[in-house]
Amino acid sequence: MSRSYTKWKCGFCENQIAWDEPFTYMSNKTVVHFTCLKDRALKTPKGDQEELKMVLDSLEDELVSIQKYKERLSKVSNEDVKKVLDQAEKDAEKNAGILTRTVEKLSAVLPS
């Protein structure tokens, strides 16, 4: 089975981002693989590394949820259920954005 790729390349590793990989949008408009963000953040913490790890774990949970909602949305025909799942996906995207900004504050992932 071939992978389907997004239009973005990771701002850290420069590899194409596949739809089945967790990824996030940085505040500087860069799109990055979650794994690349996590690796860089853990190498450049600004404070308590355990707190940073908790935020990264929470971000990963939200990114995985987004992927699951997208997958489920493609299989649902009931419009009311689609609306609920679509809203849940949007909420997870909002949470992922908040958590990504927190990772940026707790580490030196972005150039100063």
Side-chain angles (χ1 to χ4, degrees):
M1 185 168 97
S2 66
R3 292 177 92 180
S4 175
Y5 289 89
T6 69
K7 63 182 180 181
W8 305 289
K9 287 189 176 185
C10 177
F12 293 150
C13 74
E14 298 295 321
N15 291 324
Q16 199 74 28
I17 297 173
W19 283 109
D20 63 349
E21 299 173 303
F23 63 93
T24 191
Y25 302 86
M26 307 286 290
S27 62
N28 65 356
K29 308 293 186 219
T30 304
V31 182
V32 297
H33 293 110
F34 170 75
T35 53
C36 293
L37 174 63
K38 182 178 181 178
D39 290 346
R40 187 170 286 201
L42 291 174
K43 289 177 185 171
T44 62
K46 290 182 180 176
D48 186 329
Q49 192 157 12
E50 288 306 311
E51 287 183 0
L52 175 59
K53 285 179 184 178
M54 284 186 269
V55 174
L56 286 163
D57 288 345
S58 297
L59 173 57
E60 183 174 27
D61 291 344
E62 292 294 342
L63 295 174
V64 169
S65 291
I66 292 166
Q67 289 178 302
K68 288 179 181 178
Y69 286 128
K70 286 186 183 301
E71 180 184 322
R72 291 172 185 149
L73 272 164
S74 68
K75 297 176 182 176
V76 172
S77 58
N78 181 301
E79 287 303 315
D80 290 334
V81 174
K82 276 188 179 184
K83 286 178 186 175
V84 170
L85 292 177
D86 185 57
Q87 185 58 54
E89 179 193 356
K90 284 182 171 69
D91 291 344
E93 288 174 352
K94 179 182 175 188
N95 293 339
I98 292 166
L99 291 163
T100 299
R101 303 303 165 265
T102 304
V103 169
E104 293 174 1
K105 289 177 187 171
L106 296 176
S107 68
V109 293
L110 292 177
S112 298

